[in-house]
Amino acid sequence: YQRRVRESINSAMAFKVDIDELPKSCILAFAEDLFVSACDGVTEEQRQQAKTRALASVEEHNMSHFYKLACEQWEQPEDAQLVAKLEASNKEEMQQIEAKIADATENLGDVEIREGRLAKAHFLARIGDKDGALRVYDETLEQDKTSLPQKLDVQFCKMRLGLALQDNELLKNSIITAKEMLEQGGDWERRNRLKVYEAMHLAINREFKAAAEMLLTALATFTCTELFEYETFIFYTIILGMVSLDRETLGTKILKAPEVLAVYDKKPFLKEIASSLYDCNYRSFFESLVEVAGQIKADMYLSRHYRYYIREIRVVAYTQFLEPYMSVTLESMATEFGISVKFLDQEISHYISAGRLNAKINKVDGAIETNRPDEKNAHYQKAIKTGDQLLNSIQKLARVIDY
């Protein structure tokens, strides 16, 4: 009995290590390198290095479908010899997997059959055959007696495939399905993993505030090492939090969190840009922003929002600077930010006309005058407007109702 208990404990510990310390997904590593290899936000040397890593991944993992996708993106012809080699390796591996499934069907049980089918699905996902992988994943879920944790793991596999192939619909549907499954139960580790996947989906769709808040909930329990390392997770948490969270939340929940303090200086200029914005050191903030902007532009998930992010984070800085002032000269503000008066004038004018800053520029005095909205009056006006709309709707309804 004691021996069986020890074996159960060892088995549970082995399972926990597997859950906590998953290696980086090879398809996501390839996708990131493929993205950087064609990114104009990095140097030519960095592009070539990324291309070399991508090709090395193709050969190491026999990614025949991914290789064809890469050649299309690079606008270069396929290496016929390499394609033949990859397809031969794929055929041989598929035959081995099919043989194991056949043997399990004849001689073994449901568990071995399920494992064989999952191995087939994982193989198809690894080489980039999305349609084939999804078909086998679905067949496995439908035909086999699969436990809830195993079903959730299949959804995570689908999510990674969606991230690697930038298939937003696949990612979204897999997250919805996983959330429905978790309503039936599920362990805390998979719940925490799902938070990170969902946060990245929100970030991809420019829902920065919701993404930052969700990443914050996973700050102390991050285990999604199959997506990215912890330092990268902190990078996303800080970058998304800076542009969407208030200053108090940014300071207390992110910049002063021990998990962040331990690693946030490992990403170049991340510590500088976060602390300078929080400490109101705007010159240092703008200098750091130039460097961090390059990292955002070279990021597979955030690059599509590069221009939007840079614009919004400047609004945050300008708003924070103007908040304690009724009036401030353009010259003094330009000095604080380390930029020219002409550039600042154009920037502030643009944001004011777009309704992003509650201020006006006094050209005669060369000053910016803030115009804080009266919150109570704003609520009153909103109530009046809503009430008018309701009365109009009732009057229209009254005309068509026969009493």
Side-chain angles (χ1 to χ4, degrees):
Y1 172 78
Q2 291 178 342
R3 182 176 60 81
R4 287 199 301 271
V5 169
R6 284 197 300 271
E7 288 175 353
S8 298
I9 294 173
N10 291 336
S11 176
M13 290 301 293
F15 177 73
K16 185 177 187 303
V17 169
D18 181 57
I19 287 294
D20 285 345
E21 301 179 2
L22 287 174
K24 175 70 175 284
S25 166
C26 64
I27 64 173
L28 287 178
F30 167 81
E32 290 171 5
D33 286 330
L34 180 61
F35 175 82
V36 174
S37 70
C39 177
D40 60 2
V42 299
T43 65
E44 179 61 28
E45 182 182 1
Q46 289 173 318
R47 282 194 290 271
Q48 289 301 320
Q49 289 174 347
K51 185 175 181 179
T52 300
R53 290 194 301 270
L55 286 171
S57 294
V58 164
E59 295 198 48
E60 180 182 357
H61 302 291
N62 297 313
M63 298 174 164
S64 56
H65 287 68
F66 277 127
Y67 174 66
K68 294 175 181 178
L69 177 66
C71 288
E72 289 178 10
Q73 184 166 318
W74 294 330
E75 296 181 347
Q76 70 177 40
E78 298 173 7
D79 183 335
Q81 187 174 356
L82 177 58
V83 170
K85 176 185 173 184
L86 295 174
E87 290 179 347
S89 298
N90 291 164
K91 183 178 180 181
E92 180 182 355
E93 187 169 352
M94 178 61 82
Q95 288 174 344
Q96 293 174 354
I97 293 172
E98 293 286 8
K100 289 181 180 179
I101 294 174
D103 179 60
T105 303
E106 287 185 18
N107 307 312
L108 303 173
D110 292 337
V111 173
E112 290 77 14
I113 295 172
R114 182 183 64 245
E115 288 177 351
R117 286 180 175 167
L118 283 175
K120 180 178 178 180
H122 294 336
F123 160 72
L124 293 170
R126 192 192 76 216
I127 67 174
D129 185 354
K130 183 183 76 170
D131 294 337
L134 294 178
R135 185 181 65 256
V136 179
Y137 278 134
D138 290 338
E139 289 174 357
T140 303
L141 294 176
E142 291 171 2
Q143 298 177 7
D144 300 326
K145 298 177 181 178
T146 309
S147 67
L148 180 60
Q150 291 166 336
K151 289 180 180 179
L152 284 166
D153 287 341
V154 168
Q155 297 305 323
F156 286 130
C157 291
K158 288 184 176 183
M159 292 177 212
R160 289 194 291 274
L161 194 57
L163 286 170
L165 293 171
Q166 299 185 31
D167 187 336
N168 198 44
E169 196 65 23
L170 172 60
L171 177 61
K172 175 185 174 182
N173 292 336
S174 299
I175 290 172
I176 291 173
T177 303
K179 291 174 78 171
E180 291 172 352
M181 289 178 176
L182 282 171
E183 290 177 359
Q184 305 169 22
D187 57 87
W188 67 269
E189 287 170 309
R190 288 179 174 83
R191 289 180 184 274
N192 288 328
R193 284 183 186 282
L194 183 58
K195 290 178 182 178
V196 181
Y197 282 88
E198 187 173 2
M200 296 315 298
H201 175 251
L202 291 168
I204 289 170
N205 288 282
R206 201 182 280 183
E207 298 180 48
F208 291 161
K209 183 175 177 61
E213 290 172 346
M214 193 157 288
L215 288 174
L216 276 178
T217 63
L219 192 61
T221 56
F222 174 80
T223 55
C224 266
T225 48
E226 72 274 20
L227 291 186
F228 33 66
E229 58 190 10
Y230 190 63
E231 291 81 359
T232 304
F233 167 75
I234 295 298
F235 172 80
Y236 290 132
T237 305
I238 292 177
I239 290 299
L240 296 175
M242 285 173 60
V243 79
S244 60
L245 302 178
D246 60 80
R247 184 169 176 269
E248 182 182 359
T249 304
L250 180 66
T252 55
K253 293 191 177 181
I254 297 182
L255 299 184
K256 294 180 182 178
E259 297 88 357
V260 175
L261 293 172
V263 299
Y264 82 146
D265 57 347
K266 295 183 180 180
K267 283 282 186 178
F269 296 97
L270 184 60
K271 179 179 180 180
E272 289 80 359
I273 191 172
S275 58
S276 61
L277 179 64
Y278 182 74
D279 295 334
C280 304
N281 185 352
Y282 299 107
R283 179 186 290 268
S284 176
F285 167 75
F286 261 41
E287 291 171 352
S288 303
L289 180 59
V290 174
E291 302 296 335
V292 173
Q295 298 178 46
I296 294 172
K297 197 171 186 179
D299 185 85
M300 184 173 73
Y301 305 115
L302 299 182
S303 62
R304 68 199 73 191
H305 309 303
Y306 166 75
R307 293 183 182 278
Y308 173 83
Y309 183 89
I310 299 304
R311 184 170 64 248
E312 291 300 303
I313 197 65
R314 294 206 302 264
V315 172
V316 171
Y318 292 143
T319 302
Q320 181 174 292
F321 175 84
L322 292 171
E323 189 173 358
Y325 294 102
M326 291 295 292
S327 177
V328 61
T329 65
L330 282 165
E331 185 175 355
S332 63
M333 185 173 176
T335 301
E336 282 290 323
F337 280 86
I339 56 181
S340 69
V341 173
K342 181 180 179 181
F343 176 79
L344 180 64
D345 189 2
Q346 292 174 343
E347 281 265 285
I348 298 299
S349 298
H350 170 73
Y351 289 130
I352 291 174
S353 63
R356 302 307 312 281
L357 289 176
N358 295 305
K360 61 182 180 179
I361 297 177
N362 186 331
K363 284 287 189 179
V364 176
D365 297 334
I368 302 172
E369 299 173 358
T370 58
N371 180 26
R372 294 183 185 84
D374 185 340
E375 187 174 350
K376 185 181 291 186
N377 185 54
H379 285 309
Y380 173 75
Q381 294 295 335
K382 183 179 180 181
I384 293 295
K385 184 178 180 180
T386 305
D388 287 341
Q389 291 173 345
L390 178 60
L391 287 173
N392 290 335
S393 298
I394 292 173
Q395 288 172 355
K396 290 177 181 178
L397 184 62
R399 294 191 194 108
V400 297
I401 292 178
D402 186 5
Y403 293 101

